[in-house]
Amino acid sequence: MSDAKTSPVRPGVVKTVTSLANPTVKDIRSLQQRKFRQQTGRFVAEGLKLVTDAVEAGWPIEIFVHAEKIGTQDAVAQTAAKVKARGGLILQVSEAVLSKMTHRDNPQMVIGVFRQRLKKLADIDASGATVWVALENIKDPGNLGTVIRTVDSVGASGVILIGDTVDPFSIETVRATMGSIFAVPVVKASVEEFLAWKDTFPGPVIGTHLAGAVDYRTIDYPEPMILLMGNEQSGLPQRIADSCDRLVKIPMAGRADSLNLAVSTGIMLYEARRSRLVL
Ligand code: SAM
């Protein structure tokens, strides 16, 4: 067994790493922090199926890490061969190293380091669009991951992140997407960019708001459209709410004063789908 601690890692090669001080281990570990994800344009995804599916789908993978003990499994060996053929690095590591990389006591046996893919509003092809879900200033990685997964589930077009939102490539968000991060286009825009762009979009913006007077079950959901959801604490700011073509509310019967953001997004998307006018 060799240790890559003292030898620099090169693309297209296989290394066995057991040292927690290995520089590549440290680099991967640093991707837990947003500033390093932003600096490097990389992110980490965990799990054999998820990483394998992403590689199959052609996502740019830079490093494929697996526990030494599963290196002989067919699926692991096949994915490793593909990554190597594309010039990626393969790391075989101990479970202690995997734990350190992912900050988990019971880590997944496989992780992948991928290049991020973020789109701009100008990349959106409205002609083929169904529903774009726009999320304003949302902060919770679990909510974002769940929304991305739900958008995938209904076959909606993608997610637009407006303003200062949580990072779609944080490990918590990626975990919550359950692999849908590799299937759903994610766009980033400022509030001003979004407000200017939405006027060029050929469909309505349907906003959700607790102050909305209209029951979400009573309106049409034309294709294409934008479904606009607000921040977990404060909801949609007035200026953005005022810019919507429709504002709807999901009625609530009990004592709760609002629904969870991801739950309400799911209700809206499935209502749009049920209406059979979109999706
Ligand atoms: N205190 C916030 C407010 O007054 O808007 C609550 C925000 S809520 C937790 C987060 C987002 O979920 C809202 O901005 C809205 O998009 C959506 N939402 C939650 N409950 C809703 C409901 N009953 N009707 C419509 N949208 C809802």
Side-chain angles (χ1 to χ4, degrees):
M1 193 184 339
S2 68
D3 194 308
K5 183 180 176 186
T6 52
S7 54
V9 286
R10 296 189 315 278
V13 299
V14 182
K15 292 277 180 187
T16 300
V17 175
T18 55
S19 165
L20 297 175
N22 178 278
T24 306
V25 173
K26 284 185 171 172
D27 283 351
I28 295 174
R29 205 161 172 246
S30 73
L31 295 174
Q32 303 282 332
Q33 294 173 50
R34 189 171 192 166
K35 78 171 178 184
F36 288 110
R37 291 194 298 274
Q38 280 173 341
Q39 275 171 18
T40 60
R42 294 169 161 180
F43 72 104
V44 168
E46 305 158 292
L48 176 59
K49 179 165 184 341
L50 200 146
V51 171
T52 302
D53 287 352
V55 170
E56 293 294 335
W59 265 69
I61 182 164
E62 297 193 346
I63 309 176
F64 177 70
V65 187
H66 66 81
E68 261 186 297
K69 69 175 186 185
I70 62 162
T72 54
Q73 288 182 13
D74 286 350
V76 176
Q78 284 162 13
T79 302
K82 280 184 192 148
V83 174
K84 195 172 168 211
R86 288 189 207 165
L89 170 70
I90 318 297
L91 288 188
Q92 306 182 68
V93 300
S94 62
E95 281 178 61
V97 170
L98 271 170
S99 271
K100 178 137 185 183
M101 280 175 175
T102 57
H103 292 252
R104 278 197 158 187
D105 290 340
N106 295 307
Q108 296 270 2
M109 293 294 107
V110 166
I111 68 172
V113 177
F114 293 87
R115 291 210 71 76
Q116 300 175 16
R117 280 182 180 164
L118 268 180
K119 292 180 182 291
K120 298 188 167 73
L121 290 169
D123 299 326
I124 291 180
D125 175 10
S127 66
T130 56
V131 178
W132 276 91
V133 176
L135 304 169
E136 197 272 333
N137 201 24
I138 77 157
K139 300 296 185 200
D140 184 273
N143 276 341
L144 176 55
T146 306
V147 169
I148 290 172
R149 184 178 176 185
T150 310
V151 163
D152 192 13
S153 304
V154 297
S157 296
V159 170
I160 302 169
L161 300 177
I162 306 171
D164 182 21
T165 65
V166 63
D167 183 0
F169 297 107
S170 77
I171 200 148
E172 296 87 1
T173 307
V174 172
R175 268 177 202 152
T177 72
M178 296 295 289
S180 294
I181 188 72
F182 296 112
V184 172
V186 179
V187 172
K188 253 187 101 57
S190 67
V191 172
E192 300 309 327
E193 286 167 342
F194 175 77
L195 290 176
W197 170 83
K198 69 144 186 81
D199 290 337
T200 69
F201 189 79
V205 178
I206 298 180
T208 53
H209 203 291
L210 294 169
V214 179
D215 185 321
Y216 78 110
R217 294 165 296 189
T218 63
I219 66 163
D220 288 340
Y221 293 92
E223 178 182 317
M225 62 168 256
I226 297 163
L227 173 64
L228 182 54
M229 311 296 299
N231 166 272
E232 291 92 342
Q233 256 72 52
S234 48
L236 285 177
Q238 199 56 48
R239 180 165 79 113
I240 298 181
D242 289 345
S243 78
C244 293
D245 297 293
R246 305 293 307 254
L247 270 188
V248 297
K249 179 174 181 173
I250 305 166
M252 293 176 297
R255 290 176 54 195
D257 57 12
S258 66
L259 289 157
N260 165 272
L261 164 68
V263 169
S264 49
T265 307
I267 291 171
M268 291 299 299
L269 284 172
Y270 272 91
E271 178 63 14
R273 183 176 190 187
R274 192 197 61 79
S275 79
R276 305 300 302 162
L277 293 171
V278 296
L279 301 175

